[in-house]
Amino acid sequence: MRKNWLFLAGTMTGVGLTLMVTGPDGAQLVAKAKAAAGMADTYSQLNLFGAVFERVRADYVEKPSDSALIEGAINGMVSSLDPHSRYMNDKSWRDMQETTSGEFGGLGLEVTMEEGLVKVVAPIDDTPASKAGILSGDLIAKIDGEAVQGLTLEQAVAKMKGGVNTKTKLTIMRKGKDSPLDVTLTREIIKVRPVRYHTEGGDIGYIRITSFNEQTTESLRKAVATISKEIPQEKLAGYVVDLRNNPGGLLDQAVSVSSTFLPRGEVVSTRGRNPEETQRFTARGGDLTKGKPLVVLINGGSASASEIVAGALHDHKRATLVGTRSFGKGSVQTIIPLGAGNGALALTTARYYTPSGRSIQAQGIAPDIEVKQDVPDEFKDRGDLKGEAGMRGHLSAVDGTEQTGSQSYVPPDEKDDKALHAAFNVLRGVTVNADVRAKAAVPN
């Protein structure tokens, strides 16, 4: 029956093309004919998939699992779209929900997949990974001696998780090193502390935001309230908001974090395939800092939600950006639950745009004041990240030149942090217009 239908569709296509010449409604008929031809081709491809599926089930050397075959097919389809779309089976979906809630077991790594290997986006502060010296840009080639090549990202992450106080060995490939590095880590309960803060010199509040999970905004509000109590308003020169090597997280948290510093106005818009899908997100809640000056630190590891916050504060002339160009991950992943036991789909559905209408995708956010760090010799070969534009299969930039590579190194000791000292100088009297990119004199 299906073969007969396909043949009929092909016959109707030919009729439609004939009528294009002789009939008064030619354009409409051609459109219908093309749609019919496209549908026929789609069903032909689905027939091919079915034929391959049946042949594998019948003839593979060992009896395969039907569910594993289907999951593998889904993974292949979705991962071919772009680096950020992915299918999560039921366990991976539950693990993701656990991670965004802010507490989970594991090593403390933010990771992605690149060329078949797991790539470290950033180690989370005060976790086994950061304590062991794992760095942004490291590639994980093996987990407990088993090659990562051929695993999905979710499978690799699952292997790195385990019982508290159990050990795992990661084989790391690091740019500039001739041979792989073996690192043994002890798993812990990872409590993601998304905000850290302290006062500096009695006149500046320093706030570091490490991730955007469900706890971020509330933690940020507590930080602002505490700093305001410790430093009298008349002495408070302003705040440094450090977003360096922050890989992002939840969109609603990016909007509410921006709202903490903005009295009103658009924070970000998302634009999908169709114009009617455009969404705009605005600041709500008022500026808790009471208009105090802001400097935002960014670098090549600042991605996604971090770029939304930096772009919004910059476009509203609310903050001066200091550091190096951000990562350039300007796409929206919508989480689509697929029903009980079936997991969920993280599908790229739109691009982010800053309030001024600039796309972040494959370009990133440029700082007003570019400050490059002095990178120790052992890190010189990995001081730059390739950025979104360097990822295979990435969504292209909407307009303009794509930007690849930006320094992501942050000195572990604040006294060596040139960007941080530049931020302090800005707040203590160096005047820089937030809409004019410039290179400033910074301390050496």
Side-chain angles (χ1 to χ4, degrees):
M1 180 67 71
R2 181 174 294 170
K3 290 182 179 178
N4 291 338
W5 186 89
L6 292 176
F7 178 77
L8 178 61
T11 304
M12 289 178 65
T13 301
V15 172
L17 291 173
T18 302
L19 291 176
M20 176 188 69
V21 178
T22 60
D25 300 319
Q28 185 177 4
L29 289 167
V30 169
K32 290 181 178 179
K34 287 182 177 179
M39 184 65 72
D41 186 60
T42 298
Y43 277 104
S44 175
Q45 293 297 312
L46 288 174
N47 283 337
L48 173 62
F49 170 78
V52 171
F53 178 73
E54 290 299 334
R55 180 54 61 93
V56 171
R57 292 181 74 221
D59 296 343
Y60 186 65
V61 64
E62 295 178 353
K63 182 175 175 58
S65 161
D66 287 357
S67 60
L69 289 177
I70 295 295
E71 183 173 323
I74 294 172
N75 279 323
M77 174 176 63
V78 176
S79 63
S80 70
L81 299 172
D82 68 270
H84 307 294
S85 292
R86 68 189 190 279
Y87 167 69
M88 295 171 281
N89 61 26
D90 189 49
K91 183 180 184 305
S92 298
W93 171 224
R94 284 186 275 110
D95 288 345
M96 180 185 177
Q97 291 172 300
E98 184 180 77
T99 300
T100 56
S101 70
E103 183 174 320
F104 55 97
L107 306 177
L109 285 170
E110 296 278 358
V111 294
T112 187
M113 187 68 82
E114 183 174 291
E115 298 181 1
L117 299 178
V118 174
K119 182 177 182 179
V120 177
V121 176
I124 300 171
D125 290 350
D126 296 330
T127 63
S130 63
K131 294 171 186 174
I134 293 178
L135 305 170
S136 298
D138 281 349
L139 295 173
I140 301 174
K142 295 181 180 180
I143 302 170
D144 290 327
E146 181 181 347
V148 169
Q149 195 90 32
L151 299 178
T152 66
L153 181 61
E154 283 71 29
Q155 289 170 334
V157 169
K159 287 184 175 297
M160 287 188 279
K161 291 186 175 183
V164 176
N165 295 325
T166 60
K167 294 183 182 295
T168 187
K169 183 174 75 172
L170 304 182
T171 301
I172 302 291
M173 296 172 60
R174 182 172 293 168
K175 190 174 179 180
K177 296 292 183 181
D178 295 331
S179 57
L181 307 172
D182 286 332
V183 182
T184 299
L185 305 94
T186 301
R187 297 180 178 94
E188 298 177 0
I189 292 294
I190 306 300
K191 296 183 178 179
V192 180
R193 186 180 168 190
V195 176
R196 302 170 185 275
Y197 60 92
H198 63 260
T199 59
E200 177 66 32
D203 62 343
I204 290 174
Y206 170 84
I207 301 173
R208 171 164 163 71
I209 302 176
T210 60
S211 64
F212 289 82
N213 63 31
E214 293 172 2
Q215 303 172 15
T216 301
T217 300
E218 185 58 33
S219 298
L220 173 61
R221 289 171 177 162
K222 290 178 181 177
V224 171
T226 301
I227 291 170
S228 298
K229 290 178 181 177
E230 293 182 5
I231 304 177
Q233 284 295 301
E234 63 273 14
K235 291 185 178 181
L236 183 58
Y239 294 84
V240 174
V241 180
D242 193 345
L243 297 176
R244 292 176 296 180
N245 293 334
N246 180 325
L250 302 174
L251 173 59
D252 66 337
Q253 291 294 308
V255 174
S256 56
V257 164
S258 300
S259 299
T260 303
F261 304 109
L262 287 172
R264 67 185 67 83
E266 183 176 303
V267 172
V268 65
S269 63
T270 63
R271 305 179 195 177
R273 182 194 302 182
N274 302 313
E276 61 269 20
E277 295 172 350
T278 297
Q279 291 183 281
R280 299 186 183 278
F281 300 86
T282 58
R284 56 187 184 277
D287 181 2
L288 299 185
T289 67
K290 301 178 181 179
K292 288 292 183 179
L294 297 177
V295 174
V296 174
L297 296 176
I298 57 173
N299 68 1
S302 304
S304 192
S306 301
E307 296 174 286
I308 289 173
V309 173
L313 297 179
H314 179 271
D315 282 6
H316 285 287
K317 297 182 172 54
R318 183 65 187 88
T320 300
L321 306 186
V322 173
T324 57
R325 181 182 293 274
S326 64
F327 188 83
K329 196 269 185 182
S331 59
V332 183
Q333 281 68 52
T334 299
I335 305 299
I336 306 168
L338 299 175
N342 293 324
L345 187 64
L347 187 66
T348 299
T349 55
R351 287 178 168 88
Y352 291 124
Y353 288 79
T354 70
S356 66
R358 292 182 298 134
S359 172
I360 298 169
Q361 178 62 21
Q363 294 179 320
I365 303 287
D368 301 304
I369 304 172
E370 185 178 55
V371 180
K372 292 191 174 182
Q373 305 283 359
D374 295 327
V375 182
D377 290 340
E378 64 266 30
F379 299 141
K380 282 191 183 296
D381 290 327
R382 58 152 305 277
D384 287 0
L385 289 180
K386 289 193 293 185
E388 177 78 8
M391 298 185 74
R392 180 181 297 177
H394 70 274
L395 289 179
S396 60
V398 175
D399 51 41
T401 305
E402 293 189 352
Q403 302 290 333
T404 59
S406 174
Q407 191 182 76
S408 61
Y409 176 76
V410 177
D413 194 327
E414 285 190 0
K415 68 179 178 60
D416 301 321
D417 191 338
K418 295 173 69 174
L420 181 60
H421 287 291
F424 292 158
N425 280 349
V426 170
L427 292 175
R428 287 171 176 151
V430 178
T431 302
V432 178
N433 292 328
D435 58 343
V436 179
R437 188 165 186 257
K439 290 192 176 183
V442 297
N444 293 305

